Amino acid sequence: MTAHDWIATFAISFINGLSNAGQTNVLKTKSQQVLTLTKQGKRLIRRHGFVLDDQAIYSGFVKPKEVDHDAALYRLYQKAADEIERKGGKVLRVQLDYELKEKLYRKLGQAQTQGEGQTHRMKEAFARELHLPVTHGKVSFPDLRIEYTTQEMEICRVDLELATGHYHAGHLAEKAHAGFQIYARSEDAAALRRVRDDREIMTTILSL
């Protein structure tokens, strides 16, 4: 699915009155209105095949406190997808962190039920099956993963992280060591770059 396909999906749900509207934070002076699919809109998208069968679709506001962050992730997706397409690639699928976590822990739960081996060892093995990096025994999950084909028809993936001003040095270092492409909004980028430089963390912080 291309960036334009995502835009079309949201536009169609809006035109048909199948979206919920909300604000990121009604108590802030700087707030933005966001749209999310309703359950009816989700069914419409599935029924008309706007996305692939293995593409997860979400409806409603699952965690209202994270709406601002999730809206920024959509902007991040658009920026990364446009770059992929500019190089001749095509986006196949998008996965958010909680989808990747759900897959990992479902595999782990099934293995534990069958009494297969040590939990820690299984967790690392399943993480590698899902192409998730393991750093010092800890699985790192990106905010957003895009799977795509290159111009040469090679299947690739890019893991993206939207860093915020709340990231401490250890958190930033973990994401950098995992090999994620790290982005930050303009209001957070300068502070994060100072943290990076002070702790000599080898990563590039891209502006969103």
Side-chain angles (χ1 to χ4, degrees), residues 24 32 64-76 97 143 161-164 167 185 208:
T24 54
Q32 60 180 328
K65 290 183 179 180
E66 296 182 8
V67 168
D68 185 60
H69 182 263
D70 290 347
L73 284 183
Y74 181 57
R75 289 169 47 213
L76 174 55
D97 58 348
D143 280 328
E161 183 75 13
L162 180 61
T164 70
Y167 275 42
R185 287 173 285 195
L208 178 61

Side-chain angles (χ1 to χ4, degrees), residues 132-151:
L132 292 168
V134 180
T135 306
H136 304 303
K138 181 180 179 181
V139 180
S140 294
F141 296 91
D143 280 328
L144 175 70
R145 167 176 288 177
I146 300 177
E147 292 185 3
Y148 64 97
T149 56
T150 65
Q151 196 170 20

Side-chain angles (χ1 to χ4, degrees), residues 99-141:
E99 182 182 353
L100 293 168
K101 290 175 182 177
E102 192 275 334
K103 286 186 174 182
L104 175 64
Y105 288 105
R106 183 175 66 243
K107 282 176 173 286
L108 189 59
Q110 291 171 345
Q112 288 175 329
T113 301
Q114 298 171 9
E116 299 177 1
Q118 298 180 359
T119 301
H120 184 73
R121 188 172 298 176
M122 286 190 301
K123 187 175 182 179
E124 290 192 5
F126 291 143
R128 292 189 176 94
E129 285 182 16
L130 296 170
H131 306 284
L132 292 168
V134 180
T135 306
H136 304 303
K138 181 180 179 181
V139 180
S140 294
F141 296 91

Side-chain angles (χ1 to χ4, degrees), residues 1-16:
M1 173 180 287
T2 66
H4 300 298
D5 290 331
W6 272 94
I7 295 170
T9 296
F10 277 85
I12 289 166
S13 68
F14 179 72
I15 291 169
N16 285 278

Side-chain angles (χ1 to χ4, degrees), residues 31-179:
S31 184
Q32 60 180 328
Q33 190 173 60
V34 297
L35 297 176
T36 179
L37 291 174
T38 61
K39 291 181 180 179
Q40 185 181 4
K42 181 178 176 180
R43 289 194 296 270
L44 180 143
I45 287 171
R46 284 291 187 210
R47 186 164 62 248
H48 290 279
F50 288 117
V51 297
L52 298 176
D53 291 340
D54 62 351
Q55 173 64 62
I57 307 175
Y58 304 95
S59 59
F61 295 96
V62 179
K63 296 181 179 179
K65 290 183 179 180
E66 296 182 8
V67 168
D68 185 60
H69 182 263
D70 290 347
L73 284 183
Y74 181 57
R75 289 169 47 213
L76 174 55
Y77 162 77
Q78 290 177 305
K79 184 169 186 175
D82 284 345
E83 179 65 16
I84 289 170
E85 293 167 13
R86 188 183 65 80
K87 295 179 179 179
K90 180 180 179 181
V91 174
L92 299 175
R93 182 170 58 154
V94 182
Q95 293 177 291
L96 299 177
D97 58 348
Y98 33 86
E99 182 182 353
L100 293 168
K101 290 175 182 177
E102 192 275 334
K103 286 186 174 182
L104 175 64
Y105 288 105
R106 183 175 66 243
K107 282 176 173 286
L108 189 59
Q110 291 171 345
Q112 288 175 329
T113 301
Q114 298 171 9
E116 299 177 1
Q118 298 180 359
T119 301
H120 184 73
R121 188 172 298 176
M122 286 190 301
K123 187 175 182 179
E124 290 192 5
F126 291 143
R128 292 189 176 94
E129 285 182 16
L130 296 170
H131 306 284
L132 292 168
V134 180
T135 306
H136 304 303
K138 181 180 179 181
V139 180
S140 294
F141 296 91
D143 280 328
L144 175 70
R145 167 176 288 177
I146 300 177
E147 292 185 3
Y148 64 97
T149 56
T150 65
Q151 196 170 20
E152 294 75 27
M153 300 307 295
E154 179 184 0
I155 297 178
C156 298
R157 64 187 60 83
V158 58
D159 289 333
L160 308 172
E161 183 75 13
L162 180 61
T164 70
H166 300 295
Y167 275 42
H168 52 72
H171 198 183
L172 188 61
E174 176 202 334
K175 301 299 183 178
H177 193 273

